[in-house]
Amino acid sequence: MPPDLDLDPKLVSKLRALQATPTRSPQLASRARTSFLVEAARLAPSSHSQPQTRQGGWNEALKNLWFFRQKGKNALLNFAITILLTFALLIGSGVTAVAAAQSAQPEDVLYPVKTWSEDVRLDWEHNPQSRLDLTLQFTDRRIAEIQASLAVNGTIPEPVLARLQSEQEQTLALAAGLPAPQVLPALTQVRNRARQQDQALSDMQLPNSHAAQYLARVETMLQNQAQLAQQGMDNPEALRQRLRNGDYSQPGTNIPAGTSTPCNGNGSGYGPVRSQTPQVDSTPIPGSGYRYGSSKTPPADITSNPGSEPQGSSTPKAGNGPGPQPASGSGGGKGGKP
Amino acid sequence: MSSIAEETLLRLARRFDQAALAELYDRYNNGIYYYALRLLGDSSLAEDCAAETFSRLLRALHDGGGPTENIKAYLYRSAHNWVTDYYRRTPPLPLDPEVDIIEPESDPCIQAEENIIQSQVRSALRLLTADQRQVITLRFIEGWEFEQIAASLQKPVGAVKSLQHRAVSALQKMLLKNG
C-alpha cells in the first residue's frame, strides 16, 4: 500500500483486511480462460467479416474519396471544402435567380435582377458592334414588356420607359461612334429596328383609351428614334454633333423655348400619333420623360436646348414647352417638343 | 510473448491475434478477479465480473474501440463499472461474514473476525460514490499510484487526490466511529 501521511492506522488496517482473499479455483479460472479464447476466436476478423452489400460498396467508395479520407485529419481542408461548397451553392442559386429573372415583368420581384443582368452583360461586352446588337436586343425586351403591361394593366411603368429611352440613346451613340464604313449599316439597323418595334406596337389591341395614350407616347419615341437614325444615315456628322450636345429630340425641331406650344395645347409633350391628342396625365418626372430620362444622359445640355422637350426637372409651365400652353395649336406634337 | 510491450500487445490484440489475446488475458485476468472479489466478497460474482470484463474488451476491440494505450486501466475501470452496476441491482451486503471467503485451513476464530471486518469495509465502500470507491480500492487495496488511478478514472491526479480525501473522511466516520 502506498504511504499516505494522514491516514489513520486503524483505517489502514481495516482496508488491508480486504487484501486477504481466498485462492481462486484453478478449474474455474481455466474454464474462464477457455471461454475467453473461444469468444476471441469467434470474433476474429476472418469469422466476423460480413458480405459487402451494394450500399456498403458505395459507402466504401465515398470513404475512399480524397476529401473524405482526410476528414478529421485536416481541419483546415475541411473548412476550405465547406467554404467551397457554400460558395458553389450561392453561385448556383444566383445563376438560377438570374436565369429565372430573364422572363420577369416590371412588376415582378425579380425584374431588378433582370435589368441588373443586362447591365452586367453590356459591361462585359467591349466590341462596339456587339454592344449595339445587345442593346437593340434589350430594346426588344422593353417593347415586349410594354406590350405586356399595356395588355394587362393598360399602363406602362415609368422605369420601363426610362430604360427604353436610355437604350435608344445608347444605340444611336454606339452606331454613330462606329468606324466610318460601319456607321451606315449600323444606323440602318437602328432605324429598321425602331420601325419594326413601332409596327409591332401599332398592331396591338388595347384594353382602353388610357392605354392608347401610353402607347402613343412610346410610338412617338420609336418614330423619333427612326428619324434620328435616318438623319444620321443622311449626315452622320450632324447626328454626332446632336449626340455630343445631348440632343435626342426630333430632327429639325429645335426651337427655343417659349416660342411654341405642344400639339393641341394639351402639354403632353409627346404629340399626336395614334390619338389626336395624346393625354399623359402625370407631370413628367425626372427620368420618365422622353429626353434626359436616363441618368446616363448628360444633363449639361438641358439649358443649351431650352424648350425643346419636357426636361423632367420641374412641373411644366406655360410657355416653356412641355406643359399646357396657351392654345396656339401649332406644335409639332412630338415628345413635348415645340 | 510474456515480455511483450503493452503497446505491441494491444496492437496485436486489435488484430485478434490469439496468442496476444491469451497473453493479455493471463497478464490481467487474475488481478481483475481478485479486485472484484475484494469488492464483492463472492467468488462466483468475481468470476462473472472478470469474464464479463474481458468479454467487453473483445467486443470493444471487434468494434474498433477499446483501450488506446493503458490496457490495465481500461480493464479495471470496466470491472469497476460492472461492480457498480451490481451494487445498483442488489440490496446492500449483509453484515454476516461471507462463508465463501473462509479459508478452510485457517483458524476459524481469526477467520471469522477477519470476515466481519471485510464485510464492514465492503459495506462502507458500497456507501461511497463509485469514483471514491474506485480510488480507495485501487489505492489502498490494489496499491496503485495516483497516476495509474487517474488514468483509470480518466481524471486529473488532483481530482483523484480530492476523491481520496473525501472518501477517507467518509470511511473514518463509518468504520472508526466506535473506535
Side-chain angles (χ1 to χ4, degrees):
Chain A
M1 180 183 296
D4 280 277
L5 299 176
D6 57 348
L7 205 59
D8 191 314
K10 293 178 183 175
L11 182 60
V12 173
S13 173
K14 292 210 173 202
L15 289 173
R16 277 181 178 169
L18 281 185
Q19 287 179 319
T21 51
T23 309
R24 188 180 188 182
S25 162
Q27 291 81 13
L28 289 175
S30 175
R31 197 182 304 163
R33 187 177 190 275
T34 304
S35 297
F36 171 80
L37 292 177
V38 168
E39 187 177 4
R42 185 176 62 81
L43 291 174
S46 58
S47 59
H48 73 73
S49 59
Q50 301 290 327
Q52 278 205 338
T53 61
R54 286 199 314 144
Q55 294 84 349
W58 278 107
N59 288 337
E60 285 302 312
L62 282 173
K63 285 176 186 172
N64 287 334
L65 288 175
W66 68 271
F67 51 88
F68 283 111
R69 284 204 307 269
Q70 296 296 319
K71 188 177 180 182
K73 294 179 180 177
N74 193 334
L76 188 62
L77 183 63
N78 288 340
F79 179 73
I81 290 170
T82 304
I83 293 293
L84 194 64
L85 289 175
T86 306
F87 188 68
L89 192 63
L90 289 174
I91 291 291
S93 304
V95 168
T96 304
V98 169
Q102 298 311 303
S103 59
Q105 292 301 307
E107 63 273 13
D108 294 340
V109 175
L110 285 178
Y111 188 72
V113 179
K114 179 182 183 179
T115 55
W116 172 81
S117 68
E118 290 174 356
D119 292 340
V120 170
R121 286 178 66 185
L122 275 177
D123 288 343
W124 279 86
E125 187 56 71
H126 298 297
N127 181 277
Q129 181 62 52
S130 300
R131 279 178 68 91
L132 174 62
D133 295 338
L134 199 55
T135 310
L136 286 171
Q137 184 184 329
F138 294 155
T139 62
D140 285 342
R141 286 186 173 196
R142 299 292 88 74
I143 296 300
E145 291 163 6
I146 286 168
Q147 286 178 308
S149 292
L150 282 175
V152 175
N153 306 318
T155 60
I156 304 171
E158 288 295 337
V160 176
L161 286 173
R163 194 168 178 85
L164 174 63
Q165 180 188 343
S166 171
E167 289 166 354
Q168 286 181 325
E169 292 168 3
Q170 284 181 49
T171 56
L172 285 173
L174 284 166
L178 286 171
Q182 299 177 26
V183 172
L184 188 61
L187 286 170
T188 305
Q189 187 182 7
V190 172
R191 183 200 61 185
N192 293 344
R193 186 65 67 93
R195 287 177 177 172
Q196 290 167 6
Q197 292 167 347
D198 187 24
Q199 183 62 41
L201 289 176
S202 301
D203 296 339
M204 275 195 71
Q205 297 293 321
L206 298 175
N208 52 50
S209 60
H210 195 63
Q213 295 165 10
Y214 277 102
L215 180 59
R217 184 172 162 187
V218 180
E219 286 179 328
T220 302
M221 293 167 65
L222 293 170
Q223 290 160 10
N224 190 36
Q225 174 81 347
Q227 288 182 29
L228 283 170
Q230 183 63 53
Q231 184 203 45
M233 291 163 64
D234 298 337
N235 186 352
E237 189 52 42
L239 176 63
R240 290 193 192 100
Q241 185 60 40
R242 286 179 73 100
L243 298 180
R244 273 195 292 272
N245 294 332
D247 180 8
Y248 291 88
S249 60
Q250 187 179 16
T253 57
N254 276 348
I255 301 172
T259 61
S260 64
T261 57
C263 64
N264 298 328
N266 63 11
S268 68
Y270 293 99
V273 175
R274 171 172 293 212
S275 61
Q276 291 301 310
T277 54
Q279 300 288 333
V280 178
D281 297 331
S282 58
T283 302
I285 58 173
S288 66
Y290 184 27
R291 187 170 178 231
Y292 306 125
S294 167
S295 59
K296 294 180 179 179
T297 305
D301 294 307
I302 291 174
T303 54
S304 65
N305 296 295
S308 62
E309 65 179 28
Q311 297 182 6
S313 60
S314 63
T315 304
K317 295 175 183 177
N320 70 353
Q325 299 286 333
S328 65
S330 64
K334 287 289 183 181
K337 297 176 289 294
Chain B
M1 181 69 83
S2 60
S3 61
I4 193 169
E6 186 162 287
E7 185 181 350
T8 307
L9 186 65
L10 181 57
R11 181 164 46 80
L12 293 172
R14 286 191 180 283
R15 295 179 194 167
F16 275 78
D17 182 285
Q18 296 300 297
L21 288 170
E23 164 66 16
L24 189 151
Y25 184 91
D26 293 339
R27 194 178 285 188
Y28 297 114
N29 183 262
N30 264 341
I32 293 294
Y33 167 81
Y34 285 111
Y35 173 76
L37 181 61
R38 285 165 190 139
L39 283 173
L40 296 166
D42 185 309
S43 60
S44 296
L45 288 175
E47 289 286 358
D48 289 347
C49 175
E52 181 61 20
T53 297
F54 280 85
S55 180
R56 286 178 182 175
L57 172 68
L58 285 179
R59 292 197 292 272
L61 292 174
H62 174 260
D63 294 337
T68 53
E69 49 187 16
N70 194 330
I71 302 174
K72 185 179 180 182
Y74 178 90
L75 288 171
Y76 274 81
R77 182 168 183 78
S78 180
H80 179 78
N81 290 342
W82 191 96
V83 171
T84 302
D85 289 342
Y86 174 79
Y87 282 165
R88 290 191 185 121
R89 293 195 305 267
T90 56
L93 292 169
L95 289 177
D96 297 335
E98 299 287 336
V99 178
D100 188 67
I101 291 181
I102 294 175
E103 288 284 338
E105 62 274 16
S106 63
D107 185 319
C109 292
I110 296 173
Q111 185 64 51
E113 185 180 358
E114 194 168 288
N115 286 345
I116 290 171
I117 294 172
Q118 285 181 339
S119 182
Q120 287 176 339
V121 172
R122 236 174 255 121
S123 297
L125 286 174
R126 191 167 177 171
L127 294 175
L128 298 177
T129 67
D131 282 347
Q132 287 175 349
R133 182 168 53 249
Q134 190 172 11
V135 170
I136 292 297
T137 309
L138 294 177
R139 178 85 176 141
F140 298 111
I141 300 172
E142 300 296 328
W144 287 26
E145 297 297 332
F146 279 121
E147 289 75 14
Q148 293 175 291
I149 300 171
S152 180
L153 265 68
Q154 297 176 327
K155 290 179 183 294
V157 172
V160 172
K161 288 180 178 176
S162 177
L163 281 168
Q164 176 186 306
H165 179 76
R166 288 197 294 272
V168 166
S169 298
L171 287 174
Q172 282 176 331
K173 288 178 185 173
M174 288 186 279
L175 295 174
L176 305 179
K177 59 184 177 184
N178 296 325

